[in-house]
């Protein structure tokens, strides 16, 4: 079997692809959308990691750093870096769990609450910008397509 060929998959036709490969198209769009979202949050005085931490804390009030890392989808060491900056900015406070001194609990400060609402406004405005010109059924179908693409790469195809 030639190097790089997947077992059971046909050889691609010779020459350039007839259209931009789907994965590349998706990656380029995701990169540009992520950059635009980062810019929108920065204008509100935040960042995507800070937004994810704040929204997670709004749903939990108190959370351990491990729970936050899982909710945000990053490693604890990376989260610690973001929490240090947020703590220094007065957005959160961390304290030891009285029941387990090895666990740090994280909660919002009043400044963190204000930052949450600023970034929430920016996130909602950005979402409205993304949805502009689409019908609800188109967006629902797009969601289903994204779910299927995710399933295809995760090995757990979704419905449809």
């Amino acid at each position: 079997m030639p190097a790089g060929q997947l077992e059971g998959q046909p050889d691609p036709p010779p020459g350039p692809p007839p259209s931009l490969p789907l994965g590349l198209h998706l990656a380029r769009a995701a990169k540009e959308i992520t950059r635009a979202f980062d810019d929108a949050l920065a204008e509100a005085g935040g960042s995507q990691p800070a937004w994810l931490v704040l929204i997670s804390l709004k749903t939990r009030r108190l959370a351990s750093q491990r729970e936050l890392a899982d909710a945000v989808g990053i490693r604890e060491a990376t989260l610690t870096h973001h929490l240090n900056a947020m703590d220094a900015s007065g957005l959160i406070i961390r304290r030891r769990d009285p029941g387990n001194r090895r666990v740090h609990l994280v909660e919002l400060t009043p400044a963190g609450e204000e930052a949450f609402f600023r970034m929430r406004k920016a996130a909602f405005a950005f979402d409205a910008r993304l949805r502009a010109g689409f019908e609800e059924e188109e967006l629902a179908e797009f969601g289903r397509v994204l779910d299927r693409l995710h399933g295809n790469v995760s090995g757990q195809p979704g419905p449809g």
Side-chain angles (χ1 to χ4, degrees), residues 46-101:
S47 65
Q48 205 168 140
W51 168 242
L52 293 172
V53 167
L54 293 174
I55 200 166
S56 293
L57 288 173
K58 285 297 286 183
T59 62
R60 289 181 178 77
R61 280 297 179 215
L62 285 176
S64 73
Q65 287 188 201
R66 175 168 287 146
E67 290 170 333
L68 276 175
D70 290 343
V72 172
I74 59 176
R75 296 177 192 262
E76 275 188 80
T78 303
L79 176 69
T80 299
H81 167 76
H82 295 299
L83 292 179
N84 287 342
M86 294 175 75
D87 195 2
S89 298
L91 301 178
I92 59 149
I93 56 172
R94 291 181 281 188
R95 60 184 170 83
R96 299 272 184 196
D97 183 343
N100 183 349
R101 303 288 297 158

Side-chain angles (χ1 to χ4, degrees), residues 19-55:
S19 62
L20 187 62
L22 185 57
L24 182 57
H25 195 158
L26 183 61
R28 285 180 178 173
K31 186 175 183 178
E32 188 61 32
I33 291 166
T34 298
R35 187 177 298 129
F37 186 48
D38 288 341
D39 291 347
L41 290 173
E43 286 179 25
S47 65
Q48 205 168 140
W51 168 242
L52 293 172
V53 167
L54 293 174
I55 200 166

Side-chain angles (χ1 to χ4, degrees), residues 82-146:
H82 295 299
L83 292 179
N84 287 342
M86 294 175 75
D87 195 2
S89 298
L91 301 178
I92 59 149
I93 56 172
R94 291 181 281 188
R95 60 184 170 83
R96 299 272 184 196
D97 183 343
N100 183 349
R101 303 288 297 158
R102 293 177 294 173
V103 174
H104 285 93
L105 298 175
V106 183
E107 65 183 307
L108 291 176
T109 63
E113 291 277 344
E114 291 173 16
F116 168 78
F117 286 109
R118 275 194 321 273
M119 284 188 249
R120 179 176 171 248
K121 184 176 180 180
F124 271 76
F126 186 79
D127 191 63
R129 180 176 159 199
L130 280 178
R131 292 170 175 273
F134 289 99
E135 299 293 330
E136 283 304 314
E137 183 49 42
E138 290 176 296
L139 293 171
E141 178 61 21
F142 181 62
R144 289 188 291 272
V145 168
L146 289 175

